[in-house]
Amino acid sequence: MTPKEVLEFAAAHNAVMFDLKFMDLPGLWQHNTYPMSELAEDVFTEGRGFDGSSIRGWQAINASDMLLIPDPSTAVMDPFAKYPTLSMICNVVDPLTRESYSRDPRFVAQKGIKYLKSTGIADVAYFGPEAEFFVFDDVRYNTFQGGSFYEVDSVEAQWNTGRDEGPNLGYKPRYKEGYFPCPPTDSLWDIRAEMVIEMQNCGIPIEAQHHEVATAGQCEIDMRFDEMIRMADKLYMFKYIVKNVAKRNNKTATFMPKPIWNDNGSGMHVHQSLWKDGKPLFAGDLYGGMSQLALHYIGGILKHSRALAAICAPTTNSYKRLVPGFEAPVNLAYSSRNRSASIRIPTYSPSPKAKRIEVRYPDPSCNAYLAFTAMLLAGLDGIQNKIDPGSPLDKDIYGLSAEELAEVPSLPASLEEALDELEADHDFLLKGDVFTQDLVDKWIDYKRSHEVNALRLRPHPYEFSLYYDI
């Protein structure tokens, strides 16, 4: 839509408010709301001001003034506002220079696509994330000087088979057996359908929805792939809808990678492919029906995966999911059909248009604008430098002997280790000034100070089980 069309769209839907949404550095949507009387066409060029020093990882207080510039192509009616509200995603601009803000994650993605086109390799990057999540009935947690705890609960949870629920009706998915059960075991069928309907109303095409592997309400809803920036935009509307539909049903949804011990965590497998002049570039007659360009793209992802982990699996909790035995792949290999490899080549369709790769170690706690762009840049580095991905690994990696496994590189075992890898290997992100050195340094510093070191300082409840009687 053009700005004029946005105003007409808002009037047709009797909007009384408009809401401006944007992305902070760690990856959470922020927003500010105005009455419709404040929306004119000049807002799309002049923007609206806000305090950038109050946003995580952004401006110092002495340089706090920033501008939000709404993107008219993102306009939708917010499905959860009590009063009709127009919603738009924004870019962030410096009010003095009128330049886009280098730490705005959406701007990083825009620069990534501009760089892709400048290489002449491709003109479109398609991405398709599969963001898993849990829907719980209750969550409680607290950390203070004298204690720390968390507790999640779900009527579906296998640990509640013996609870007096007045009456307990059973039908609770067994651990690691929650994939595809019919109702009544799948108690969230209608809630996911409600989420899908709201997503479709907001212009997000949906391909499927189902229960996932873990007990206690793990779910997946699959969006149709789209161009990279539009897909990242859609992912945040997706997460917004999941959380708010859950709340509307007196439940709570989380995209935290590993909220339950000893069962599967929530990943975000990311399908991706490159196209040029309307033609797919990943289809060919090599392994898995892939082209040489696609294999070089895989080579770039594999080469830089230990650094990519700091952006694609960016929380301390991510590395409680990235452990052997829970389907989340920690070994850096590629394969056709093999879900124990960190990169899979799907084989559902022989069509050249369906040829793509699936990077399986990211999770939905990531900032998608940064994660998608970082993977794109790694893949392009592979193409530009003709990086050989090596031989595919078609065996079940979890069944390999210790000798065989020693030959397969692995992801970092912690966020701290991943940040060290990113610090040592990030030149590929700086090409085309897509990521800036300032942004990389800020990301590493923020994650170390606010997450790694903050967690290191605090006793863990399980340490009391291990050590209290020493």
Side-chain angles (χ1 to χ4, degrees):
M1 283 189 278
T2 65
K4 181 179 179 182
E5 289 170 337
V6 169
L7 294 175
E8 293 170 350
F9 174 80
H13 287 83
N14 301 310
V16 296
M17 297 283 176
F18 72 96
D19 194 56
L20 301 183
K21 296 181 173 69
F22 65 101
M23 183 59 55
D24 70 6
L25 187 64
L28 278 180
W29 248 3
Q30 310 294 322
H31 81 132
N32 198 10
T33 311
Y34 308 81
M36 279 301 297
S37 58
E38 294 297 308
L39 183 61
E41 288 190 47
D42 65 355
V43 171
F44 295 90
T45 54
E46 298 302 314
R48 284 291 179 266
F50 73 102
D51 175 11
S53 68
S54 295
I55 303 301
R56 297 183 299 171
W58 278 18
Q59 293 291 85
I61 196 167
N62 61 310
S64 59
D65 288 354
M66 303 294 287
L67 289 174
L68 295 175
I69 307 292
D71 181 344
S73 70
T74 66
V76 296
M77 294 301 294
D78 191 294
F80 302 104
K82 180 178 179 179
Y83 303 101
T85 299
L86 177 74
S87 174
M88 291 179 284
I89 300 173
C90 297
N91 297 313
V92 182
V93 168
D94 186 291
L96 299 181
T97 65
R98 306 297 298 185
E99 293 180 351
S100 296
Y101 183 41
S102 65
R103 293 185 189 174
D104 174 13
R106 196 167 189 259
F107 177 52
V108 173
Q110 290 167 340
K111 288 191 292 180
I113 294 302
K114 182 179 179 181
Y115 174 68
L116 169 68
K117 294 177 179 179
S118 76
T119 66
I121 293 170
D123 50 33
V124 177
Y126 284 116
F127 277 68
E130 301 175 357
E132 298 167 342
F133 56 93
F134 280 86
V135 176
F136 294 130
D137 290 289
D138 188 58
V139 56
R140 297 182 297 120
Y141 54 90
N142 200 2
T143 298
F144 52 99
Q145 279 78 358
S148 180
F149 80 97
Y150 77 90
E151 186 171 349
V152 296
D153 206 4
S154 165
V155 69
E156 281 196 356
Q158 176 67 200
W159 60 78
N160 284 326
T161 55
R163 185 173 67 178
D164 182 2
E165 295 180 343
N168 188 322
L169 301 179
Y171 301 117
K172 302 180 191 299
R174 287 177 287 273
Y175 298 112
K176 296 190 182 184
E177 294 186 23
Y179 190 67
F180 277 28
C182 286
T185 302
D186 178 5
S187 69
L188 298 167
W189 187 27
D190 289 336
I191 290 178
R192 291 195 307 272
E194 185 179 341
M195 293 171 180
V196 168
I197 291 167
E198 294 290 10
M199 290 171 188
Q200 291 174 323
N201 289 341
C202 288
I204 303 175
I206 300 298
E207 295 181 339
Q209 57 103 334
H210 60 85
H211 204 286
E212 257 297 342
V213 173
T215 191
Q218 190 182 33
C219 298
E220 182 176 313
I221 298 174
D222 295 330
M223 296 179 282
R224 186 176 302 161
F225 69 91
D226 203 342
E227 297 181 21
M228 189 181 82
I229 297 169
R230 288 177 54 82
M231 193 72 253
D233 289 343
K234 289 178 179 179
L235 178 61
Y236 287 103
M237 180 58 76
F238 173 102
K239 294 177 75 170
Y240 181 69
I241 289 170
V242 165
K243 292 175 184 178
N244 280 282
V245 167
K247 183 174 183 294
R248 192 159 67 189
N249 286 273
N250 200 34
K251 295 180 182 288
T252 177
T254 180
F255 290 88
M256 186 176 175
K258 189 75 170 182
I260 297 176
W261 170 66
N262 212 31
D263 206 342
N264 281 37
S266 293
M268 188 176 75
H269 310 147
V270 182
H271 298 254
Q272 46 202 283
S273 65
L274 299 181
W275 289 53
K276 186 175 183 180
D277 299 328
K279 297 179 180 179
L281 300 182
F282 278 13
D285 57 3
L286 299 178
Y287 176 82
M290 304 299 276
S291 66
Q292 185 63 67
L293 179 142
L295 292 177
H296 285 151
Y297 189 98
I298 291 172
I301 297 281
L302 290 175
K303 176 182 177 180
H304 298 295
S305 281
R306 289 179 60 81
L308 287 172
I311 299 173
C312 298
T315 67
T316 59
N317 185 252
S318 300
Y319 297 86
K320 293 176 172 59
R321 167 184 170 260
L322 291 172
V323 294
F326 289 91
E327 193 175 337
V330 298
N331 298 106
L332 296 174
Y334 73 102
S335 181
S336 176
R337 302 179 66 183
N338 187 352
R339 282 176 163 80
S340 66
S342 60
I343 297 179
R344 184 176 74 97
I345 301 171
T347 59
Y348 294 128
S349 171
S351 170
K353 294 181 179 180
K355 286 301 176 184
R356 62 196 188 275
I357 69 165
E358 177 193 57
V359 183
R360 294 179 59 79
Y361 56 79
D363 68 58
S365 70
C366 72
N367 185 323
Y369 295 106
L370 300 182
F372 291 176
T373 306
M375 285 186 281
L376 173 65
L377 292 171
L380 291 177
D381 186 60
I383 294 170
Q384 291 165 330
N385 292 293
K386 295 182 170 55
I387 297 174
D388 183 359
S391 300
L393 189 56
D394 291 329
K395 299 178 181 179
D396 178 359
I397 295 175
Y398 301 139
L400 295 180
S401 67
E403 292 77 15
E404 291 175 304
L405 199 57
E407 301 298 319
V408 183
S410 62
L411 286 167
S414 68
L415 178 59
E416 181 176 18
E417 186 181 344
L419 292 169
D420 290 342
E421 294 287 343
L422 178 61
E423 193 167 46
D425 175 25
H426 61 261
D427 286 350
F428 70 98
L429 298 175
L430 305 180
K431 291 182 178 179
D433 196 38
V434 178
F435 281 71
T436 63
Q437 188 65 52
D438 167 74
L439 177 59
V440 173
D441 291 344
K442 185 63 182 180
W443 181 265
I444 293 171
D445 176 71
Y446 182 91
K447 288 288 175 177
R448 281 177 175 160
S449 61
H450 288 77
E451 298 177 34
V452 173
N453 293 338
L455 186 64
R456 182 187 287 125
L457 289 169
R458 288 162 169 80
H460 189 283
Y462 190 57
E463 291 177 315
F464 282 79
S465 298
L466 293 172
Y467 309 127
Y468 188 77
D469 59 350
I470 287 178

